[in-house]
Amino acid sequence: MKRLAPALAVTLALFPAAQAVADAIQIDVRKTNGCGCCLSWMKHLKESGFAPTGEDMFGGSLVRFKLDNGVPQRMVSCHSALVDGYVIEGHVPASDIQRLLDERPDAVGLAVPGMPYGSPGMGPEDDREAYDVFLIRGDGSTEVYTSYPGS
């Protein structure tokens, strides 16, 4: 752990919630303004120990951001995020993001193309449709990283 200023160290020791915030993994979410499912996905991330921040972008700029960061067109969804050198596209569950960060594969990141019902931010999980989370490789190829059956 990095050495902290004495006042900050005392604050973190006295207030465990402050330490939790300091330890949370930062994730930068790019989305369009007013997208409810994007905000719901960010809430899912926060509840799972991440520290999401959101940046609204116009549609064309958001598409360019996705392509510039290695997201193949067939993998596109409504929002993108950057976390610790990886891109996260769409409604990827927080558990898969954490697994990605733990395993550190040589990859661009993860994607859930489209907006599958019941994925995080897209309705109740107990009524979800089947969907896959894909690992995006540097050459644009993909492979299934995790499969979620329908309920």
Side-chain angles (χ1 to χ4, degrees):
M1 182 179 211
K2 2 180 205 185
R3 186 165 169 78
L4 302 172
L8 179 57
V10 169
T11 300
L12 295 177
L14 293 175
F15 300 100
Q19 180 65 53
V21 169
D23 291 342
I25 298 168
Q26 299 295 313
I27 184 166
D28 178 30
V29 181
R30 309 293 173 93
K31 61 186 187 58
T32 57
N33 186 25
C35 181
C37 69
C38 297
L39 296 174
S40 294
W41 183 70
M42 291 173 68
K43 180 180 177 191
H44 161 76
L45 294 176
K46 188 172 184 178
E47 290 169 349
S48 300
F50 288 89
T53 57
E55 180 180 336
D56 292 339
M57 299 180 79
F58 292 109
S61 298
L62 183 57
V63 170
R64 174 59 36 210
F65 176 83
K66 294 167 187 292
L67 298 176
D68 287 349
N69 281 281
V71 177
Q73 189 173 3
R74 67 187 181 285
M75 291 287 121
V76 167
S77 184
C78 62
H79 56 263
S80 301
L82 298 175
V83 59
D84 202 16
Y86 290 105
V87 64
I88 307 299
E89 179 67 17
H91 294 270
V92 176
S95 59
D96 288 313
I97 298 170
Q98 187 60 61
R99 178 179 154 210
L100 177 78
L101 297 175
D102 291 344
E103 294 177 355
R104 306 293 306 170
D106 183 16
V108 170
L110 299 175
V112 172
M115 299 168 68
Y117 186 75
S119 60
M122 286 298 299
E125 186 177 353
D126 62 354
D127 191 29
R128 75 170 174 234
E129 64 181 285
Y131 69 95
D132 293 323
V133 176
F134 292 90
L135 182 71
I136 304 170
R137 296 286 183 188
D139 64 0
S141 65
T142 60
E143 61 190 69
V144 174
Y145 192 69
T146 308
S147 288
Y148 290 90
S151 47

